[in-house]
Amino acid sequence: MNRRGFLRMASIGTVAGVGAVASHAQNDPSELYTGEMEAAISRGLAYLARSQAANGSWDDGQLPNIAVSGLAALALMAGGHHPGRGIHGRAVSRALDYFLTRAHADPPGYLHGGSDINNHGQMYEHGFGTLFLAELSGMLPDRERQRRLRDLLERSIGVTLRAQNKDGGWRYLPRDGDADVSVTVAQLMALRAAKNAGVFVPKSTVDKAVDYIRGCQLPDGGFRYIKGVDAGGSAFPRSAAALVGLYSAGIYDDPATRRALRYLQQFPPGGFGNRDPRVERYYYYAHYYAALAMWTAGGTAWSSWFPAIRDDLLLRARSGPASIWSDFGHGSAYATAMACIILQLPNNYLPILQK
């Protein structure tokens, strides 16, 4: 059975100070879709399907990348495609095949493609890769493949749990060292999705991660990069991620999330003539998280934000090669996956979006 029909976005654990659960957007998806948007999504998903490598991976413009592969597969799933269902279901199945080749990594369950020679991306890969496995869990018609997926997911979560540092965060490598808010959020989302899929996640792990994220918040509502380190103050991309991290822990309505939401709303999506350099460098990363944050906040936060990011993404698609999305330094698969996930949020197909 498709988990989407009954899964609810249950909190990982009760966290002290959690307020009322925020309402999700109530919009009819058809009211948010336009013909141009639907055509852009179709082109984007078709591009992802045909750009998939023979081994089931996608790359970042250089080498196979677990994070890009996970995001590309999630973009297809956000359109209702998964093994045994949808015209791109086979591509999602092949992506899982690629992930299953990582089952014997060192340490077992550590998801990275070895594409980042500076080691700055490996735990990002692991986080987004684990998120994909968790979202796909329960959607496979083949019991043996589901068993193998579940085994890899549990091993991957084990790597994440062991890598948390003493302050509650995570960094670039799977070891107890330093931490930053961006990698920490990637792990926390994976933990949330895994918990939704029935994998045990200790409440203490989540509480420590929440403490780390809270410790990065600044008086303006935004977030610094590293707890206790003043490195440039608040920034929209990591602040969007941090708010999603708090939401992922079930903290929907408290002073920290309200201040973070107000901070983000200072940076509405704009056209090519209104590029904010604080956003532009990490555009797709920033708006992936910002859109997830607004979706979770619901109400007018979502109903005003989505049309703006929709129109901005369509502008970028028109200016891109073959009317798809591209990102300098990360490749078209990454940008197209992020754009398609954002544009398909009204579908509410991904389990982590649901309550």
Side-chain angles (χ1 to χ4, degrees):
M1 179 182 290
N2 187 329
R3 274 195 310 134
R4 183 170 62 85
F6 59 84
L7 183 64
R8 292 297 178 262
M9 196 174 174
S11 171
I12 287 178
T14 303
V15 182
V18 175
V21 175
S23 62
H24 265 267
Q26 299 299 315
N27 306 75
D28 180 345
S30 64
E31 297 175 357
L32 300 173
Y33 276 54
T34 66
E36 182 182 4
M37 175 180 156
E38 291 179 336
I41 292 170
S42 294
R43 286 194 303 270
L45 298 185
Y47 168 77
L48 292 175
R50 70 173 180 268
S51 64
Q52 188 178 28
N55 67 356
S57 71
W58 282 268
D59 63 41
D60 59 0
Q62 301 177 40
L63 295 169
N65 184 297
I66 286 281
V68 175
S69 298
L71 288 165
L74 285 169
L76 296 172
M77 291 171 61
H81 308 277
H82 54 81
R85 182 173 182 176
I87 61 173
H88 300 308
R90 176 58 182 154
V92 178
S93 183
R94 291 173 61 210
L96 174 59
D97 290 338
Y98 173 65
F99 275 72
L100 291 174
T101 67
R102 312 305 303 164
H104 303 293
D106 185 18
Y110 182 29
L111 301 175
H112 73 92
S115 61
D116 191 315
I117 60 174
N118 294 317
N119 296 321
H120 287 173
Q122 290 189 8
M123 281 302 284
Y124 279 115
E125 290 189 76
H126 181 77
F128 285 113
T130 303
L131 175 62
F132 162 62
L133 292 177
E135 294 292 88
L136 187 60
S137 182
M139 294 188 178
L140 299 176
D142 185 314
R143 290 187 178 181
E144 175 59 20
R145 282 167 63 76
Q146 170 59 33
R147 183 196 65 78
R148 294 174 63 198
L149 183 159
R150 179 59 177 246
D151 180 70
L152 179 55
L153 174 60
E154 290 180 350
R155 290 173 181 268
S156 299
I157 289 298
V159 171
T160 300
L161 296 177
R162 291 188 295 272
Q164 188 176 33
N165 84 343
K166 64 182 184 302
D167 292 327
W170 289 265
R171 189 66 158 160
Y172 298 138
L173 294 172
R175 62 191 183 208
D176 180 359
D178 57 352
D180 70 64
V181 73
S182 181
V183 178
T184 296
V185 171
Q187 308 313 310
L188 193 50
M189 280 193 72
L191 291 172
R192 174 61 175 267
K195 175 65 176 179
N196 286 350
V199 177
F200 174 70
V201 175
K203 179 179 180 294
S204 59
T205 298
V206 178
D207 288 346
K208 286 163 56 179
V210 167
D211 287 344
Y212 184 86
I213 294 173
R214 286 187 183 277
C216 292
Q217 192 168 33
L218 295 168
D220 65 358
F223 292 78
R224 57 165 55 97
Y225 183 50
I226 296 175
K227 182 179 178 180
V229 176
D230 186 7
S234 299
F236 173 79
R238 61 175 171 262
S239 298
L243 179 54
V244 171
L246 294 176
Y247 283 157
S248 295
I251 304 173
Y252 296 105
D253 184 22
D254 81 343
T257 57
R258 289 193 293 271
R259 286 190 291 121
L261 185 61
R262 288 194 296 269
Y263 173 84
L264 296 184
Q265 289 173 321
Q266 299 177 86
F267 304 93
F272 278 169
N274 186 31
R275 291 184 175 183
D276 188 321
R278 292 170 292 181
V279 178
E280 194 64 29
R281 184 179 178 188
Y282 302 107
Y283 177 87
Y284 292 97
Y285 169 96
H287 281 293
Y288 164 80
Y289 280 117
L292 288 174
M294 299 303 168
W295 167 264
T296 306
T300 57
W302 167 252
S303 62
S304 62
W305 192 273
F306 183 77
I309 186 58
R310 175 196 65 199
D311 293 348
D312 199 41
L313 286 171
L314 293 178
L315 276 175
R316 290 167 185 267
R318 292 186 206 120
S319 302
S323 295
I324 58 171
W325 294 271
S326 60
D327 180 75
F328 179 77
H330 293 96
S332 293
Y334 163 78
T336 299
M338 288 296 218
C340 286
I341 290 172
I342 294 167
L343 292 175
Q344 294 177 105
L345 287 178
N347 290 342
N348 198 25
Y349 284 172
L350 293 177
I352 201 168
L353 299 177
Q354 299 170 17
K355 287 186 176 179

